Amino acid sequence: MKKIKEIREYLLANLGLNFNDNQEKELYRKLSDASLKFNFDNTDSFIDWLLMHPLDNEQIEKLASFLTIGETYFFREKKALDYLEFEYLPRLIKTRNASNRHLKIWSAGCASGEEPYSIAILLKRIIPDLKDWDITILATDINSVFLEKARKGIYTKWSFRGMPESFKTKYFKQDENNNYHINQSVKNMVDFSYLNIASDSYPSATNKTDKVDIILCRNVLIYFSADGIKNVTSKLYESLVNDGVLLVSPVEVSPIISQKFNNFVYKGFTIYNKGPKNDIEEKQIQIPDKLIEKSRDNNKPLISDSKKLEKNDSVSLPVNKLVPGKPKQIVAPKKAQEKPVDYKKLLELYQAGKFDEVETLIESAITGINNNNITYILLLARIKANKGKLDESEKLCMQAVNLDKINEDAHYLMASVFSEQGKLKEAKDSINRVLFLKPEFALGHFMLGNMALSNGAKPESKKHFNNAVLCLNKFKPDEIIAESDGLTAGNLLQIIKTMVL
């Protein structure tokens, strides 16, 4: 792979995108795909050209479209949006309701637009006299393909995971191809534009990035180096008004985020606030780089700390997306009867967002002689959870656990449902069982470390992150980690390194 280290440095300097040693093969593959769009039939020649010729904005946007991921959906990471809807915005609206009725919100890294449109819909719900307010929702991205899709505002069912049918009916119009067009009144509330948060100038009145009340920069910082995260979040801090808030993804919670921010936890979700610094001294923890290298040669089985826990012990429960995006097939008990519906087909429908159709098919499949098929039960539980029917999902998870008490997938899904219901003790117990049954579940250790770090328990978080590193180094760098929403082992290792520097 010719000049791969040079192109990594180039991408970091010009696009702010950080690819580590473990991601070089993945990067080369992406550059190979991009080279064709730049009319090169040789990847190495394309890399040489990139290193020799400065790119204009249009070319940067084209290149970024091959190097970044824009997968998202409406009202993703709902706890963060709940904080805005039920805590922060009501206070802010009350303060400004008397005279200066203005709000300014920035979705930095908006991808295909679901996030800023979710904010627009949220404001429509909570401000009855919205027409009397001066509302600015700025949505920016480095990827022109994402921005074009966002401006069109046309989505498939896959963008509505977890949302009730009434949501689509109220805010969208369905066409003959079963695509959903967002209402013009919502579309008009959002201003989409190109912005490279790694290199462009902000805060600035020119691009509307100054005096912002709320910044959402979620699933963006995972692409940045440690220095990049510090620099970007410092600039985001300056873009906020006093008492403004920054929301990042749970996997991006990190002490590397500018220390100018205060942070606090809302229902397990870390919120970053611009205001007077508190008196809590923040001591950073470190995992030596040699641990990450050394652990690759460690063939000893990892002993999970959960095995040492007594019945009444508890651990911190991480906050994660409620339902994994790509469910894996679970082997049914040997005595299960022949399935009347092809499970592979059901998974395809599920991943296409056709929840109602899959729900109908599965409910018939698990009745009668097939009512003990754990594979179907857990897929139905996922669908119920995605549709917000948490009590029904909990019952299905319990049914699966009763059928197979050592099924770690059932315990993991149950932990997610309990967490969303606010049943923290039960959720902790389920997470303990997952790690007892599957000590090398890397994401479980990572999530425990993430939650411990959010709660200020840094020594505990270091322990969990160490375990996660040991697990991850048993994977190939470009291998997708189960239940991680598409993260590779290399991605997650890099995230851990930035979180504990």
Side-chain angles (χ1 to χ4, degrees):
M1 293 184 290
K2 184 179 177 182
K3 296 184 178 179
I4 193 68
K5 293 191 183 298
E6 292 181 46
I7 198 65
R8 283 170 50 194
E9 294 173 359
Y10 170 88
L11 294 173
L12 181 61
N14 291 274
L15 278 76
L17 301 179
N18 184 51
F19 291 88
N20 58 48
D21 293 343
N22 293 331
Q23 295 173 289
E24 288 186 349
K25 289 184 179 179
E26 177 188 356
L27 172 60
Y28 194 84
R29 175 180 55 78
K30 291 180 176 181
L31 290 172
S32 296
D33 294 337
S35 67
L36 300 176
K37 289 296 182 180
F38 281 82
N39 298 318
F40 285 84
D41 56 9
N42 181 279
T43 306
D44 290 336
S45 297
F46 175 55
I47 291 174
D48 284 337
W49 179 81
L50 286 174
L51 294 172
M52 295 288 292
H53 295 82
L55 301 184
D56 59 30
N57 281 349
E58 182 178 349
Q59 291 170 325
I60 289 176
E61 292 173 26
K62 184 191 295 187
L63 179 60
S65 69
F66 290 91
L67 302 178
T68 57
I69 301 171
E71 196 277 340
T72 186
Y73 48 92
F74 286 98
F75 284 85
R76 184 178 187 175
E77 293 167 2
K78 191 173 181 298
K79 289 184 179 180
L81 299 184
D82 282 349
Y83 169 74
L84 296 182
E85 183 171 1
F86 300 113
E87 297 289 336
Y88 183 76
L89 281 171
R91 293 198 306 268
L92 189 61
I93 291 167
K94 183 178 180 180
T95 301
R96 297 182 181 174
N97 198 40
S99 55
N100 194 1
R101 296 185 171 191
H102 75 276
L103 290 172
K104 195 171 188 179
I105 302 171
W106 177 14
S107 172
C110 65
S112 47
E114 288 93 334
E115 178 177 86
Y117 284 139
S118 294
I119 295 297
I121 290 169
L122 187 154
L123 293 177
K124 276 183 168 290
R125 285 202 307 231
I126 66 176
I127 305 179
D129 54 346
L130 191 63
K131 66 181 187 307
D132 298 326
W133 283 72
D134 176 19
I135 303 290
T136 298
I137 302 176
L138 173 66
T140 65
D141 205 281
I142 195 176
N143 190 316
S144 59
V145 175
F146 297 163
L147 289 170
E148 183 60 26
K149 179 179 178 181
R151 291 188 184 103
K152 290 179 179 178
I154 303 173
Y155 300 95
T156 65
K157 283 187 175 181
W158 188 233
S159 291
F160 299 95
R161 281 164 278 176
M163 302 308 297
E165 194 68 29
S166 58
F167 174 81
K168 290 180 284 187
T169 303
K170 186 171 183 178
Y171 297 106
F172 297 82
K173 183 178 181 180
Q174 187 175 7
D175 64 21
E176 63 277 7
N177 297 317
N178 290 322
N179 293 321
Y180 292 82
H181 300 243
I182 199 161
N183 291 353
Q184 192 65 41
S185 63
V186 178
K187 185 187 291 188
N188 291 342
M189 293 178 65
V190 183
D191 179 17
F192 292 98
S193 62
Y194 171 87
L195 187 101
N196 184 343
I197 64 172
S199 60
D200 286 346
S201 178
Y202 63 95
S204 170
T206 303
N207 54 23
K208 302 180 183 179
T209 56
D210 66 325
K211 301 177 182 178
V212 182
D213 296 301
I214 300 165
I215 299 177
L216 299 99
C217 188
R218 304 190 292 176
N219 300 293
V220 176
L221 299 179
I222 59 174
Y223 296 108
F224 287 72
S225 65
D227 287 339
I229 293 173
K230 291 177 183 177
N231 293 335
V232 166
T233 54
S234 181
K235 292 168 72 175
L236 293 177
Y237 179 91
E238 299 302 328
S239 293
L240 287 167
V241 299
N242 288 333
D243 202 35
V245 294
L246 168 67
L247 303 181
V248 300
S249 170
V251 300
E252 296 168 314
V253 172
S254 169
I256 291 178
I257 289 176
S258 174
Q259 295 298 296
K260 297 177 183 178
F261 282 100
N262 294 314
N263 67 78
F264 59 92
V265 176
Y266 173 81
K267 295 184 178 179
F269 199 99
T270 300
I271 309 293
Y272 291 88
N273 167 261
K274 179 177 180 177
K277 291 297 292 182
N278 55 39
D279 296 327
I280 299 175
E281 180 183 0
E282 297 195 19
K283 297 181 181 179
Q284 297 182 353
I285 61 173
Q286 292 187 352
I287 295 179
D289 288 339
K290 63 182 181 180
L291 169 64
I292 293 181
E293 299 302 326
K294 183 178 180 181
S295 61
R296 189 176 302 280
D297 300 322
N298 187 348
N299 294 319
K300 295 181 180 180
L302 178 68
I303 304 299
S304 169
D305 292 315
S306 62
K307 288 188 176 182
K308 303 175 184 178
L309 295 171
E310 300 299 329
K311 180 177 181 181
N312 295 323
D313 287 344
S314 63
V315 298
S316 299
L317 177 70
V319 176
N320 191 32
K321 191 175 71 173
L322 176 62
V323 181
K326 293 184 178 180
K328 61 182 180 180
Q329 184 168 354
I330 302 163
V331 179
K334 294 182 179 180
K335 294 183 180 180
Q337 301 295 321
E338 183 180 356
K339 302 186 288 291
V341 184
D342 179 56
Y343 186 76
K344 182 178 179 181
K345 178 64 176 177
L346 289 176
L347 280 180
E348 291 174 357
L349 293 172
Y350 174 90
Q351 292 166 3
K354 299 181 179 180
F355 296 147
D356 292 338
E357 183 177 347
V358 180
E359 185 176 13
T360 299
L361 290 171
I362 293 183
E363 285 180 338
S364 64
I366 63 174
T367 57
I369 61 173
N370 293 288
N371 63 353
N372 287 339
N373 193 311
I374 293 180
T375 305
Y376 285 79
I377 293 170
L378 288 178
L379 184 55
L380 182 58
R382 296 180 191 276
I383 292 172
K384 296 289 189 183
N386 266 332
K387 297 177 75 172
K389 300 177 180 179
L390 297 176
D391 290 342
E392 294 181 40
S393 181
E394 178 189 340
K395 291 179 181 178
L396 288 164
C397 289
M398 187 65 70
Q399 182 180 347
V401 168
N402 287 336
L403 288 170
D404 183 3
K405 290 182 171 57
I406 60 172
N407 188 306
E408 66 267 14
D409 301 270
H411 287 296
Y412 180 75
L413 180 55
M414 178 171 280
S416 300
V417 173
F418 280 146
S419 177
E420 196 68 13
Q421 291 172 315
K423 299 178 179 179
L424 297 184
K425 182 182 182 304
E426 292 87 344
K428 292 173 184 176
D429 290 342
S430 293
I431 284 291
N432 280 338
R433 294 186 186 102
V434 172
L435 288 176
F436 180 81
L437 294 167
K438 193 175 182 181
E440 297 185 359
F441 181 40
L443 190 62
H445 294 292
F446 168 75
M447 292 187 297
L448 287 174
N450 192 28
M451 175 56 72
L453 190 61
S454 298
N455 289 336
K458 293 183 179 179
E460 181 185 350
S461 71
K462 180 179 179 179
K463 174 186 65 179
H464 293 305
F465 285 138
N466 281 345
N467 282 342
V469 168
L470 290 171
C471 297
L472 287 168
N473 281 323
K474 297 181 181 180
F475 290 84
K476 295 178 180 178
D478 59 352
E479 191 172 348
I480 300 294
I481 301 300
E483 321 292 6
S484 71
D485 199 21
L487 280 176
T488 65
N491 292 147
L492 196 50
L493 269 173
Q494 184 64 20
I495 291 170
I496 292 172
K497 289 179 70 176
T498 61
M499 292 180 75
V500 300
L501 286 176

